[in-house]
Amino acid sequence: MLIALGVCGGIGAYKAVEIARGLQNNGHDVVAIMTRSARRFVGPLTFEAITRRRVITSQFAEGANADIEHISLATAASLLVVAPATANIIGKFANGVADDFLSSLYLATKAPVVIAPAMNTNMLEHEAVQHNLASLVARGVHVVEPGAGYLACGWIGKGRLAEPEAVVRAAEAVLHSAGSLKGRKVLVTAGPTYEDLDPVRFISNRSSGKMGYAIATEAATRGGEVVLVTGPTALQPPPAVEVVRVRRAAEMHAVVMHRAPDVDAVIMAAAVADYTPRRTETEKMPKQADGLVLALERTPDILGDLGQWRSTAGRERPLLIGFAAETSAVDAKAREKLRRKKVDLIVANDISREGAGFEVDTNAVTFIDDGTQDFGPAPGRDVPAIRSKREIASELLDRVEAMLARKTQPARG
Ligand code: CTP
């Protein structure tokens, strides 16, 4: 998920670097926002190197859309974490002051907020700060209690920024309970299809189903109502997911077309066979002395039919997401698929790369959409990195959530 990490001025600012790293290790993307005083303690380059994203340092930065950046980040971020949170930012949040990027972001976002206060003991105990904290808690803000110990000002007492692991743990707990996909229905397809030749033989492909299962798991973790339409795989289905098992492309087509009108997004991660035997023998075929010629016919293109149905019906929902496994000219072919199949997003991967594609736990993908997404790839991600399938699932669902937030039409429209 995309997490906005606000860093304020305080000796604990250096610990925010560890927090950013911890959140990333859990598969999240982090955008750091540094207040002016934070930059006196740690340089933005440190965060840029860790997050591989531009660090936001002012409300009106360079770039045409900089003035509305806090609005787009406010929509895209699944969580706002502020660590260290000074008495100043706590006061601004509590009183609706929006005089810099971070305080404007707080007002503009509907994402849950976690703050980790850090300040001198007397400041922390001051009635004004306690009052502000209480009003934030009453508004649903989660506070990670500061620790006690030796403070930078020389005092010994309460006010030290909580340990990075505690902040990361709190962020995860809030994310999971917040359920960013609560109330959303997502249909995910996974695995290969088996196209039967006779009772013992079939045509299939190398798909293990791992990518689709990772997406279903992540969507369920986010509180989504998930239907997993799966071809035959050796995988254990994730808990709290409705599993519909299918075998052939034609069966998958029937199930998906039937369920699609009721869901918010269809994610076609299955490697659907493109051809099926013209006839399936009911008896086992005996060996032929001089080879065998198989007559195959095309299977229905599920994603293509979904795109056609949606555009004919004039609907915006469900969102349609396809995968493209290519061995060359990945981006160009994926872009062509996006247009031809009339879908919202193509997750393209170059299966000729080691560690990408079938059977492995990792993948390297590029997200190809119609170009209206607010957040493009992070700097340095032009050549897609090899990442775990769960991490990719997380980024994909971040994008799905952002797209769903932009589209207003309800699922049953
Ligand atoms: N797909 C589908 N139905 C099919 C075949 C594919 O819904 N019969 C979906 C896959 O799940 C995937 C996307 O379409 O999300 C891309 O599949 P791919 O086979 O790579 O694309 P094709 O359009 O079949 O193009 P190509 O000529 O490259 O095979």
Side-chain angles (χ1 to χ4, degrees):
M1 295 191 206
L2 183 68
I3 298 181
L5 174 65
V7 185
C8 303
I11 190 71
Y14 75 93
K15 288 193 193 170
V17 177
E18 281 305 309
I19 294 170
R21 200 195 294 275
L23 293 170
Q24 281 184 311
N25 287 346
N26 288 351
H28 304 297
D29 238 346
V30 177
V31 177
I33 301 123
M34 300 186 77
T35 64
R36 191 204 308 249
S37 49
R39 301 200 303 276
R40 301 181 68 166
F41 291 87
V42 187
L45 271 181
T46 309
F47 284 96
E48 205 148 304
I50 297 278
T51 63
R52 306 184 76 194
R53 283 182 173 274
R54 188 173 71 77
V55 172
I56 299 172
T57 51
S58 91
Q59 190 150 14
F60 304 104
E62 69 291 345
N65 293 323
D67 55 339
I68 54 150
E69 201 172 19
H70 63 267
I71 301 296
S72 51
L73 182 58
T75 317
S78 301
L79 179 71
L80 169 62
V81 177
V82 183
T86 53
N88 188 41
I89 202 78
I90 290 167
K92 287 203 247 182
F93 282 7
N95 294 289
V97 176
D99 66 348
D100 64 2
F101 192 98
L102 186 55
S103 49
S104 305
L105 178 66
Y106 169 74
L107 290 186
T109 192
K110 288 200 166 15
V113 180
V114 173
I115 62 170
M119 65 197 78
N120 158 279
T121 311
N122 277 359
M123 288 173 78
L124 182 67
E125 286 172 355
H126 196 283
E127 206 181 318
V129 174
Q130 286 301 316
H131 178 80
N132 287 339
L133 278 171
S135 76
L136 290 178
V137 169
R139 241 183 258 154
V141 170
H142 303 263
V143 177
V144 188
E145 285 296 314
Y150 190 79
L151 303 179
C153 51
W155 289 43
I156 292 177
K158 195 172 171 187
R160 207 164 71 168
L161 179 63
E163 288 310 312
E165 307 82 66
V167 179
V168 172
R169 259 199 318 277
E172 289 299 336
V174 169
L175 273 178
H176 289 176
S177 67
S180 49
L181 273 174
K182 225 172 223 147
R184 303 285 196 192
K185 294 183 186 171
V186 182
L187 189 155
V188 183
T189 67
T193 61
Y194 283 6
E195 309 299 326
D196 294 316
L197 284 160
D198 69 11
V200 295
R201 304 181 182 95
F202 56 82
I203 298 174
S204 190
N205 58 62
R206 290 173 54 199
S207 168
S208 62
K210 285 180 177 170
M211 191 66 243
Y213 276 58
I215 296 166
T217 305
E218 179 68 21
T221 304
R222 293 176 182 216
E225 205 178 302
V226 182
V227 185
L228 174 63
V229 183
T230 175
T233 72
L235 303 173
Q236 189 69 22
V241 161
E242 180 190 346
V243 180
V244 183
R245 293 182 194 278
V246 296
R247 185 172 174 89
R248 305 175 69 130
E251 281 174 55
M252 187 175 276
H253 181 265
V255 173
V256 172
M257 297 309 286
H258 177 66
R259 304 292 295 261
D262 283 338
V263 302
D264 295 288
V266 176
I267 303 175
M268 286 290 307
V272 188
D274 285 325
Y275 299 96
T276 191
R278 193 159 285 161
R279 58 174 275 143
T280 303
E281 303 298 334
T282 48
E283 300 287 331
K284 184 178 169 222
M285 290 189 288
K287 239 194 297 315
Q288 314 265 339
D290 48 353
L292 174 67
V293 176
L294 291 174
L296 304 178
E297 61 187 19
R298 287 291 305 269
T299 55
D301 181 343
I302 306 171
L303 193 59
D305 283 358
L306 283 169
Q308 191 55 49
W309 156 74
R310 191 182 62 168
S311 94
T312 307
R315 296 171 54 127
E316 287 193 321
R317 294 262 177 93
L319 286 180
L320 300 176
I321 293 102
F323 275 70
E326 310 289 358
T327 49
S328 64
V330 180
D331 287 14
K333 286 184 185 167
R335 215 163 278 289
E336 187 276 326
K337 240 165 239 184
L338 182 87
R339 274 193 300 273
R340 177 163 48 86
K341 299 201 184 197
K342 300 189 175 74
V343 301
D344 304 287
L345 184 69
I346 290 279
V347 187
N349 61 338
D350 180 349
I351 52 170
S352 65
R353 277 184 70 185
E354 185 136 342
F358 295 128
E359 295 164 320
V360 291
D361 290 319
T362 50
N363 210 348
V365 304
T366 312
F367 294 92
I368 309 280
D369 62 14
D370 59 4
T372 56
Q373 278 288 90
D374 294 324
F375 288 88
R381 291 250 180 97
D382 298 334
V383 175
I386 301 281
R387 293 186 286 162
S388 73
K389 287 187 173 170
R390 184 70 192 265
E391 226 179 299
I392 290 168
S394 175
E395 182 170 350
L396 169 60
L397 289 172
D398 285 348
R399 284 168 187 263
V400 168
E401 284 177 18
M403 291 163 97
L404 283 175
R406 287 211 313 260
K407 300 207 171 192
T408 48
Q409 191 181 316
R412 287 164 226 260

